[in-house]
Amino acid sequence: MSVESRILVVDAGNTSIKFTAFEGEQVLWVQRGDSCPVETGFAPEVIYFASVRSKEQSALLHADVQAEFPSSEWITLTSQATACFVRNAYIEPERLGIDRWLGVIAAHHLIKGDAVVVDAGTAIKVDVVNREGTHLGGYIAPGLAMMTESLLSKTARIRFDSHEVVEGEGLPNSTARAVTEGCHEMALGFLERIHHRYPEFKWVVTGGDAQALLNRLGIALECFPNLVALGAKLVGDEQLRGNK
C-alpha cells in the first residue's frame, strides 16, 4: 500500500479526541468528539492512533474506532529514540508524551530551523528542537483552565460566576479578575522566561490558548492548529514504509 493513502489520525488528548482525515498530504477535515465520526463518507485505508490517555481508556477508544473501520490497517504511534530524522532528548524515550513528540517532529519539518514548540491546552507544553533535529527537552505546566480549577477546588471562598470574568484596567479589583488575570500572568511569565533563553528560535504554536498568550508577549510565531496530526502523518508514513 502506498503512503499516499487515505489516512485517519486519531489524536486522543486529555480532554478531547481529535480526528483528522488525510487524502495523500491534504487535510480533508478535522473533527473533535468523544467517539469516531461515521457520517463523513470517508473510509481510511490506515489509521494512525496517538493517545496520552490511560491504557484502559486507549483500549476502549481503539475498539470504538476499529469497530467503525474494521478493514483499516492500524498503527499505534509511540515515542521513540529517533523518528523522521529527529532525536529524542529523553533517556527513556517512550516516556515523552506522544503529543509532544509528534509536535516536535512536525515543527522540525515545517520550520527546518531552531524551534520552540508550544502546545497550550489542558497543559502548557513547551519543547525545544534545534535545526539538526535534536530535541533538547522541554517543560509541562498547568494550562489556564487547570490553574483556575485548582484554585476553585482547593479553596473555600474563591468563587465567581462566568459573567464576572470581564476585562479591566490596572490591578484586578474583583475575585474573577484576580484569578483569571493572575493565571494569565503566571503563564505569560513562564513563556517569557523561555523566550529570553531562546530569543533567536522560531516559535511554533498549537492548542487553544497558545496564540492568544504569545500575542500578548509580542513574540513572532507560526500557528499550526493541526500540528500533532501533521507529526502523526510523518511518523505513521515512515512506519508504514518500513512495514512494506
Side-chain angles (χ1 to χ4, degrees), residues 3-8 22-24 28 42-47:
V3 295
E4 300 299 317
S5 307
R6 292 187 302 278
I7 304 291
L8 179 66
F22 287 86
E23 182 77 48
L28 296 181
F42 179 79
E45 296 175 83
V46 188
I47 296 169

Side-chain angles (χ1 to χ4, degrees), residues 8-10 12 46-55 58-59 61-63 65-66 72-80 98 101-102 232 235-237 239-240 243:
L8 179 66
V9 172
V10 181
V46 188
I47 296 169
Y48 298 158
F49 183 71
S51 176
V52 298
R53 300 187 170 192
S54 68
K55 290 183 179 179
S58 297
L61 178 58
H62 184 156
V65 177
Q66 201 162 47
S72 300
E73 185 175 352
W74 187 280
I75 295 179
T76 297
L77 305 179
T78 58
S79 298
Q80 300 169 309
I98 185 62
W101 179 231
L102 297 177
V235 174
D237 286 355
Q239 291 191 22
L240 195 62
N243 292 339

Side-chain angles (χ1 to χ4, degrees), residues 117-138:
V117 187
V118 181
D119 184 346
T122 304
I124 300 174
K125 292 160 284 188
V126 178
D127 283 279
V128 183
V129 57
N130 67 20
R131 65 181 63 250
E132 288 77 29
T134 300
H135 172 229
L136 304 178

Side-chain angles (χ1 to χ4, degrees), residues 87-162:
R87 292 175 295 281
N88 194 327
Y90 270 35
I91 297 171
E92 300 176 89
E94 69 280 1
R95 298 190 68 177
L96 176 67
I98 185 62
D99 54 343
R100 292 174 60 196
W101 179 231
L102 297 177
V104 165
I105 289 171
H108 174 66
H109 285 264
L110 289 164
I111 299 303
K112 296 179 173 60
D114 300 328
V116 174
V117 187
V118 181
D119 184 346
T122 304
I124 300 174
K125 292 160 284 188
V126 178
D127 283 279
V128 183
V129 57
N130 67 20
R131 65 181 63 250
E132 288 77 29
T134 300
H135 172 229
L136 304 178
Y139 301 92
I140 303 174
L144 297 175
M146 186 182 292
M147 283 192 273
T148 300
E149 290 165 7
S150 177
L151 276 172
L152 297 177
S153 66
K154 300 297 183 182
T155 58
R157 301 188 67 178
I158 296 180
R159 295 290 181 271
F160 56 89
D161 295 323
S162 58

